[in-house]
Amino acid sequence: MLTLRDRMQCVAPTQEVLSSHMQHIMKVLLPWPVPSSELDGVRAFTRVSLREGGRLEHREVWAALRNNELLLYSTRGRQREKVVLTSSFRCNVDSSENTIELVTADRCLSLQFELQRPCQCWNMLLKILALTAAGAGRGAPLYPVASSLWSEVPTAIEKCISHITQHGLTVEGIYRRCGTALKISKLVELLNSTPNKVQFDPGESGVLDAAGALKLCLRQQVELIPQSHMSYWVQAAAHPDEAERLTAYRRGLDSLSAEQKAILKVLFEHLYQVQLYSHVNRMTPQNLALVFVPTVFRDYGMSTDMVRLTRELIIHYTLIFQGGAVVETGNFVVTAL
């Protein structure tokens, strides 16, 4: 949650409790009473300046993203709009203006955010929604990463992440469960030799094979954090202040090679997306961190500080990898991640 003065993280024991608290906050902020059923399933909620089409005039609204619906509540009068985001919708972001343009079959909406971070969060959620609804063409990356990054990422890694993003975000236990060792080993050999010919098995088994192959590819193909840099990361992870830790992580990433930084950015953007579905796949940031800390930090897989570090790279992905201040001020945003 971002308020005028603070940035706060709210933690609850279950997804249901978290959703209940979020609904209460939204009811307080909305200008008129709204039933709980209407707010059930909302993933992001913020105040934006809305323009439609080529019009110059704008209006202030509260925007809520729920499943495949954008709910717009006017700050003046009891006016509510529901925009259904079908498989054909697309979105474009203008980071310099903190603006997202949503284009549907019959409307073009421009949402301008007060701050950069909520704009980034909404853009991420909308991109995932677009992929979930429509998938993507064969042979292209299946989720939104800057095209310049893919030139630095091995094709084998891209193939695995793309398949899981399109087919496996809701598979229970993804990454904790994997396919058989022999099958994964053969799959990785094929990914390394002729990646464009790889066809994953359909259904859940193919997703689990891709998950196992990704972890093996990451261990085999590149040293994500060089041994000479490891002491820096260990010290950064042990710092008692969270803001200091996040700042140190950024500095550590800036010292890596272009390939290492690109792979880590792609990996943690993907893990950020996976944890958005933790209410279905049961893979919370903590669970994902426990699985991936031996892959990223090799010999420090049993360190509680390094597990926390890996978890923070996931939950603070946009903050660490996409920039922005550690403490932000301005508009109010509620985002259930």
Side-chain angles (χ1 to χ4, degrees):
M1 297 194 300
L2 300 182
T3 69
L4 290 172
R5 296 182 179 85
D6 302 298
R7 174 175 172 269
M8 298 170 285
Q9 181 179 355
C10 302
V11 180
T14 66
Q15 183 75 25
E16 290 73 21
V17 173
L18 185 66
S19 296
S20 176
H21 286 307
M22 188 167 172
Q23 285 185 19
H24 178 75
I25 293 169
M26 289 188 287
K27 287 182 177 181
V28 170
L29 293 171
L30 285 170
W32 73 85
V34 174
S36 297
S37 58
E38 188 171 310
L39 301 174
D40 188 35
V42 168
R43 298 196 69 83
F45 180 77
T46 191
R47 185 164 174 159
V48 297
S49 179
L50 178 72
R51 287 188 301 172
E52 184 157 5
R55 299 175 185 172
L56 295 178
E57 66 270 16
H58 66 274
R59 53 196 172 99
E60 297 296 313
V61 300
W62 286 99
L65 188 62
R66 182 187 68 179
N67 299 324
N68 67 329
E69 297 174 341
L70 175 66
L71 306 178
L72 302 171
Y73 298 90
S74 174
T75 58
R76 299 179 180 179
R78 298 196 176 197
Q79 297 178 337
R80 190 212 71 166
E81 296 179 67
K82 180 169 71 173
V83 181
V84 179
L85 305 175
T86 63
S87 59
S88 61
F89 95 91
R90 68 181 190 273
C91 63
N92 305 298
V93 63
D94 182 349
S95 299
S96 64
E97 298 290 336
N98 292 334
T99 299
I100 294 176
E101 183 184 66
L102 274 176
V103 181
T104 67
D106 55 356
R107 299 182 73 177
C108 178
L109 302 174
S110 176
L111 284 68
Q112 185 169 38
F113 298 77
E114 180 82 13
L115 298 174
Q116 183 184 60
R117 180 167 170 77
C119 181
Q120 292 173 342
C121 289
W122 273 70
N123 183 48
M124 175 79 70
L125 291 168
L126 288 166
K127 294 290 189 184
I128 295 171
L129 177 60
L131 288 168
T132 304
R138 292 182 180 272
L142 297 178
Y143 75 106
V145 172
S147 58
S148 59
L149 282 180
W150 287 112
S151 63
E152 303 287 349
V153 177
T155 305
I157 293 174
E158 180 268 306
K159 282 283 185 181
C160 294
I161 289 179
S162 294
H163 183 79
I164 295 165
T165 301
Q166 188 178 19
H167 301 288
L169 293 178
T170 59
V171 171
E172 185 171 347
I174 181 66
Y175 290 120
R176 180 175 52 79
R177 299 164 56 209
C178 293
T180 60
L182 180 60
K183 188 175 182 180
I184 289 173
S185 179
K186 291 182 178 179
L187 181 58
V188 170
E189 288 181 14
L190 190 59
L191 281 165
N192 289 332
S193 59
T194 54
N196 292 326
K197 294 183 179 180
V198 170
Q199 293 291 328
F200 294 100
D201 290 343
E204 185 174 290
S205 63
V207 170
L208 298 180
D209 290 341
L214 174 62
K215 290 191 289 184
L216 187 56
C217 286
L218 289 169
R219 289 193 293 267
Q220 288 183 350
Q221 291 198 3
V222 66
E223 190 179 32
L224 295 176
I225 305 292
Q227 194 61 39
S228 59
H229 293 224
M230 199 62 72
S231 61
Y232 173 87
W233 286 91
V234 172
Q235 291 176 12
H239 200 287
D241 182 73
E242 182 187 41
E244 292 292 335
R245 290 198 303 273
L246 301 186
T247 301
Y249 301 162
R250 286 187 193 168
R251 287 198 293 264
L253 288 168
D254 288 339
S255 70
L256 299 177
S257 70
E259 181 189 25
Q260 291 163 338
K261 188 173 181 179
I263 293 174
L264 286 169
K265 188 177 191 299
V266 166
L267 173 63
F268 281 97
E269 179 170 4
H270 172 61
L271 297 180
Y272 181 89
Q273 294 175 5
V274 172
Q275 61 87 33
L276 291 175
Y277 291 83
S278 62
H279 61 293
V280 179
N281 61 37
R282 306 301 178 191
M283 294 304 290
T284 63
Q286 179 70 13
N287 290 340
L288 290 168
L290 289 168
V291 170
F292 275 91
V293 66
T295 299
V296 179
F297 295 104
R298 303 294 171 98
D299 298 334
Y300 294 89
M302 300 301 291
S303 166
T304 55
D305 283 345
M306 301 307 277
V307 171
R308 181 178 65 182
L309 187 162
T310 308
R311 177 179 177 272
E312 288 175 338
L313 290 177
I314 296 171
I315 63 176
H316 298 300
Y317 163 77
T318 56
L319 197 63
I320 295 168
F321 289 90
Q322 296 185 352
V326 173
V327 178
E328 301 183 65
T329 61
N331 199 9
F332 186 98
V333 62
V334 179
T335 307
L337 300 179

